Amino acid sequence: VAPVLLRTSVNDFTEEPVSDEVVDGLLRAAMSGPTTGDQRPWHFVVIRDQAVRNKVPEIHRFAHLVPRAPVALLVCGDETLQRDRGFWVQDCAAATENILLEAERRGLGAIWLGIYPIEGLVQAFRRLINVPQHAVPFSLVALGYPVERGRTVSQYDGSRVHIDIWRDKGASTCQE
Ligand SMILES: Cc1cc2nc3c(=O)[nH]c(=O)nc-3n(C[C@H](O)[C@H](O)[C@H](O)COP(=O)(O)O)c2cc1C
């Protein structure tokens, strides 16, 4: 089964460290994502420092797992690197998803923690990580080797697929 079909959010990590080489592979995957006009308006902060990771749950209410994740990647958008204003959000989302898929392919587990557009979170991560005003913390991806893993049930929903013209087919759950 393709790694993309097995991906799930992981929030329990083993103590096995994540090597610099693996992190480099994740960053290369992130920067392989499509971007508006090929403008690549992102920056990435590799967060390994335990003291910094310990502070994340104080500012993000769903981030209790970050102190136990060996590494976290902060994806930031930079509007000064972009002509097509506003599209950085989609570019950063594509980069974030690429990190998740490459993590899955490498046997890692990951979870996407949303930051942007919650202004309080954006400001709190700016302060914690010293992100300059022209950049916007977008997402934090916590990573490590998973204790448990793998999707077993398909999320495919045929009622959300329309061919040529939108027809309301009513709800159905996860049918291939
Ligand atoms: C934009 C975005 C923000 C998210 N923020 C959080 C978050 O703050 N905390 C969290 O536990 N999960 C977060 N997630 C993960 C989702 O909760 C998760 O993807 C969803 O429940 C589906 O589960 P799955 O990833 O295992 O398929 C976020 C996902 C996305 C796409």
Side-chain angles (χ1 to χ4, degrees), residues 65-83:
L65 64 149
V66 173
R68 285 183 284 112
V71 63
L73 299 180
L74 182 70
V75 180
C76 299
D78 185 344
E79 286 191 296
T80 66
L81 296 176
Q82 181 159 70
R83 285 188 311 275

Side-chain angles (χ1 to χ4, degrees), residues 160-174:
R160 301 293 182 87
V161 181
H162 309 269
I163 311 291
D164 294 329
I165 190 164
W166 186 305
R167 292 185 182 86
D168 196 353
K169 299 188 258 181
S172 90
T173 48
C174 296

Side-chain angles (χ1 to χ4, degrees), residues 7-9 11 60 62 65 111-114 151 155:
R7 188 213 57 81
T8 56
S9 295
N11 49 28
H60 194 302
F62 301 115
L65 64 149
I111 186 163
W112 176 333
L113 301 171
R151 191 183 292 291
Q155 296 201 151

Side-chain angles (χ1 to χ4, degrees), residues 6-11 60-65 93 96-97 100 110-117 121 138-140 151 155:
L6 298 173
R7 188 213 57 81
T8 56
S9 295
V10 168
N11 49 28
H60 194 302
R61 57 196 280 248
F62 301 115
H64 54 91
L65 64 149
T96 304
E97 179 69 3
L100 300 189
I111 186 163
W112 176 333
L113 301 171
I115 299 175
Y116 180 86
L121 282 177
F138 172 78
S139 65
L140 184 73
R151 191 183 292 291
Q155 296 201 151

